Amino acid sequence: MNKTDSIKKYVPKKEVQAYAIAALGQGLVYSCMSSYITDYYMNVLKLNAIFVILLMLLARVWDAVNDPMMGMIMDRKTTKWGRMKPYPLVTAIPIAILTILMFVNPGFDTNNQSIWLYVFVTVVYVTWGMIYTVSDVPFWSMPNVMTPNPKERGTLISYAKTVGGIGSAVTVALPIIVGYIIADMPYEKQNIFKYAIMAISMSVIGMPLFTLSSFKTKERIQMPNAAKKQPGEISTLKRIFTCKPLMLVVLSGVLSFGRYMLQAAAPHVARYSGFYLGSTKPMTEAEINTNISNVALVIQICAAVGMFGAMIFLPKLYKKFEYKHIMIVSCIGGFVASCFTLIIGWSTKNLLICIPFMLISAIPLGVINNVAFAMVCDCLDFMEWKTGYRDTGLGSACQSFVNKIGNAFATVMIIVMYLIVHIDVKNLNVGTGEAVVNTLNSLNPSQNFAMFSLVTIVPGISLLLCAIPLFFYDFTGKKKEKVFSELAVMRKERGIEIDE
């Protein structure tokens, strides 16, 4: 990219804000699903743990197919409304409906479960994932066509991810707000109504905001439709899989799956780790329910604050450091902080002392979410420079797949831990009053420790693994500048238009 193009900014402030607000709308719905779906399945619907594991894994295997399919569909055809813009608009209502159905039991008996409950859950969950893919891949591909300036693109992504991250903060606070509304209900009914209210409110608010990306953004880089594959021509998938920088970023993202556990495992840790806030141990059902809510809140607030705080400072860090260095340092720091959280938390049994370390261990949530995506966009530039093809949709589908596979692996790890330490939710979620107190207090220290590890050492090890592939990532510095400069010339020679 020549000097003029690298300095010039293409996206006006109002358009940046509209795209970011759309990301917030998507974040409200996605955070609601990813943060609470395992707790809802395990402790409200009381589904079989093996079934939930298989559902999550098989759904992600299917995503491995339909994410690239969606990317190739986008790359092949530009509609009169644009290449990416139509999809958020046409998927908003189906996603809202499916999100509500995901957290609303239409009348199945959870104590005497029938096969139809499992069929219903499977159809809703898999269909939600497919429709979400149809919107998510195009939405996060938009920065690639909104501006040719890589620095402006990185800032746009960072701003959108930061505002979108507010969705995580909202879903942390929402259970507290809903809790006041349903405070007088019996415990089991509280969970049922809590999740229904959350899903409905997030869908009704989030999806209309999401559609702003269809109305208020502009696709400035007019890439030609993909030509029919010629005999002997390298396939699209081969171009993706032979792009070393992209594959390293994807591998790093998959290995970082543990970062999702800081939020997703919070309700499970709060219920079964044996931690409590206050000077006296909760001994009544009401005290236990309050303690579960408070412990989960502390963990999730730390996750949200650490993540959001990191996102705020990323644009400044981009000006001084390479993407890979930001990622590596944050991952190693997160690993060290998670070790301190485990050691100090377990030895003192005081969760509040762990707050500074939990905040640091949550920083990689914001860093990886933002920086990894900016790195994917850079890798697409590298691939276009090397091959002459820009597979924007398929490349972005890789990042979408990484996010979903990460959430799935995190969910599976939570459920596997239930199985390893023999925690049977059906036995623990039966009865009221003294029965609830006795069953929760019957868990042994090994079971408590295993559940606490879900928000400490397990995500910490995942972050350490995430850093390893990045040491081999070399699309940085002068090599990166050279590619961008030459790519700008190549685009002009190919007649690719860039609108103002």
Side-chain angles (χ1 to χ4, degrees):
M1 180 165 292
N2 60 45
K3 187 175 180 180
T4 302
D5 285 344
S6 65
I7 296 174
K8 183 177 180 179
K9 291 186 177 181
Y10 292 81
V11 188
K13 187 175 181 179
K14 287 185 178 180
E15 187 176 342
V16 173
Q17 292 171 343
Y19 184 69
I21 292 173
L24 168 61
Q26 186 196 49
L28 291 173
V29 173
Y30 189 77
S31 295
C32 181
M33 186 284 295
S34 62
S35 297
Y36 299 108
I37 192 62
T38 54
D39 191 53
Y40 179 75
Y41 280 170
M42 296 289 291
N43 294 299
V44 179
L45 293 186
K46 302 173 188 175
L47 299 177
N48 178 273
I50 299 296
F51 165 79
V52 178
I53 290 176
L54 291 174
L55 175 62
M56 299 293 176
L57 286 178
L58 294 176
R60 295 293 77 81
V61 170
W62 174 234
D63 274 339
V65 177
N66 65 51
D67 275 35
M69 284 174 56
M70 186 62 218
M72 287 188 283
I73 290 171
M74 284 170 43
D75 287 331
R76 287 186 179 279
K77 186 66 175 176
T78 300
T79 71
K80 65 179 181 180
W81 300 282
R83 180 163 287 191
M84 288 88 171
K85 290 171 60 175
Y87 296 102
L89 180 62
V90 300
T91 57
I93 292 178
I95 290 175
I97 293 172
L98 288 165
T99 303
I100 294 169
L101 290 176
M102 197 179 290
F103 287 96
V104 173
N105 183 352
F108 296 107
D109 186 349
T110 57
N111 294 316
N112 300 294
Q113 296 174 347
S114 70
I115 187 65
W116 296 111
L117 170 61
Y118 287 88
V119 171
F120 173 77
V121 167
T122 301
V123 171
V124 171
Y125 185 82
V126 173
T127 306
W128 185 95
M130 292 174 62
I131 302 298
Y132 185 84
T133 292
V134 175
S135 69
D136 186 57
V137 174
F139 178 75
W140 289 109
S141 297
M142 286 183 180
N144 287 284
V145 294
M146 289 172 69
T147 174
N149 184 332
K151 291 186 177 180
E152 185 180 32
R153 182 178 62 207
T155 302
L156 174 63
I157 292 169
S158 179
Y159 186 59
K161 289 282 187 179
T162 301
V163 176
I166 296 174
S168 297
V170 171
T171 54
V172 169
L174 196 59
I176 305 172
I177 299 171
V178 176
Y180 285 111
I181 300 174
I182 59 177
D184 295 330
M185 291 184 179
Y187 173 64
E188 192 163 331
K189 285 190 175 181
Q190 281 189 19
N191 279 334
I192 294 172
F193 279 90
K194 176 180 72 176
Y195 285 125
I197 294 172
M198 288 170 58
I200 293 170
S201 59
M202 292 299 92
S203 298
V204 170
I205 296 172
M207 284 298 97
L209 295 178
F210 185 51
T211 61
L212 286 175
S213 59
S214 296
F215 295 108
K216 299 295 183 179
T217 61
K218 183 176 182 179
E219 298 183 10
R220 290 173 180 81
I221 302 177
Q222 304 296 320
M223 300 296 293
N225 292 329
K228 186 176 180 181
K229 186 175 179 293
Q230 301 298 317
E233 181 184 334
I234 186 173
S235 69
T236 304
L237 286 176
K238 189 171 183 179
R239 286 197 296 269
I240 292 290
F241 284 110
T242 55
C243 180
K244 179 183 174 182
L246 179 60
M247 288 299 99
L248 288 172
V249 175
V250 169
L251 176 60
S252 175
V254 171
L255 293 173
S256 72
F257 72 89
R259 74 188 192 272
Y260 295 103
M261 297 176 71
L262 288 170
Q263 290 177 299
H268 306 270
V269 174
R271 187 174 279 111
Y272 301 125
S273 69
F275 277 79
Y276 61 90
L277 302 179
S279 57
T280 57
K281 187 175 183 178
M283 295 302 296
T284 67
E285 183 181 14
E287 290 173 346
I288 285 177
N289 293 338
T290 299
N291 182 71
I292 290 172
S293 298
N294 291 340
V295 171
L297 179 64
V298 169
I299 296 171
Q300 290 179 318
I301 285 179
C302 287
V305 171
M307 176 181 67
F308 193 68
M311 290 179 174
I312 292 175
F313 289 101
L314 279 176
K316 293 183 178 180
L317 293 177
Y318 288 164
K319 296 177 181 178
K320 297 182 178 181
F321 305 102
E322 295 281 359
Y323 291 150
K324 65 175 281 185
H325 298 143
I326 297 172
M327 288 268 284
I328 290 171
V329 171
S330 68
C331 286
I332 294 175
F335 166 72
V336 173
S338 70
C339 292
F340 276 106
T341 304
L342 180 68
I343 296 169
I344 294 173
W346 191 250
S347 61
T348 65
K349 290 291 185 177
N350 189 329
L351 192 65
L352 297 180
I353 295 178
C354 299
I355 287 178
F357 303 105
M358 286 194 290
L359 287 170
I360 296 172
S361 66
I363 288 175
L365 273 74
V367 172
I368 296 173
N369 286 347
N370 281 29
V371 179
F373 195 84
M375 292 174 76
V376 167
C377 293
D378 283 355
C379 291
L380 293 177
D381 285 339
F382 174 81
M383 191 165 59
E384 183 184 354
W385 168 80
K386 187 175 182 180
T387 67
Y389 295 89
R390 186 176 185 86
D391 303 301
T392 298
L394 188 56
S396 297
C398 291
Q399 184 64 21
S400 173
F401 172 72
V402 165
N403 291 337
K404 287 189 281 188
I405 200 75
N407 266 296
F409 283 174
T411 298
V412 167
M413 181 60 70
I414 294 168
I415 301 167
V416 166
M417 193 64 77
Y418 273 87
L419 297 174
I420 291 174
V421 298
H422 306 293
I423 294 179
D424 189 340
V425 296
K426 286 190 176 181
N427 293 332
L428 289 170
N429 288 288
V430 175
T432 58
E434 188 176 351
V436 172
V437 176
N438 291 336
T439 52
L440 289 177
N441 288 336
S442 68
L443 296 176
N444 61 52
S446 295
Q447 292 172 315
N448 295 147
F449 179 84
M451 299 309 289
F452 187 51
S453 72
L454 291 174
V455 292
T456 52
I457 194 62
V458 174
I461 292 173
S462 174
L463 291 174
L464 193 61
L465 293 174
C466 167
I468 294 174
L470 298 175
F471 284 99
F472 302 94
Y473 181 89
D474 64 353
F475 188 41
T476 59
K478 292 183 179 179
K479 180 178 180 179
K480 186 174 172 181
E481 292 177 5
K482 176 178 179 292
V483 167
F484 287 148
S485 178
E486 293 180 2
L487 182 59
V489 176
M490 290 171 59
R491 284 175 173 171
K492 289 180 180 179
E493 291 175 349
R494 292 165 58 197
I496 295 175
E497 299 179 3
I498 299 178
D499 296 337
E500 297 296 328

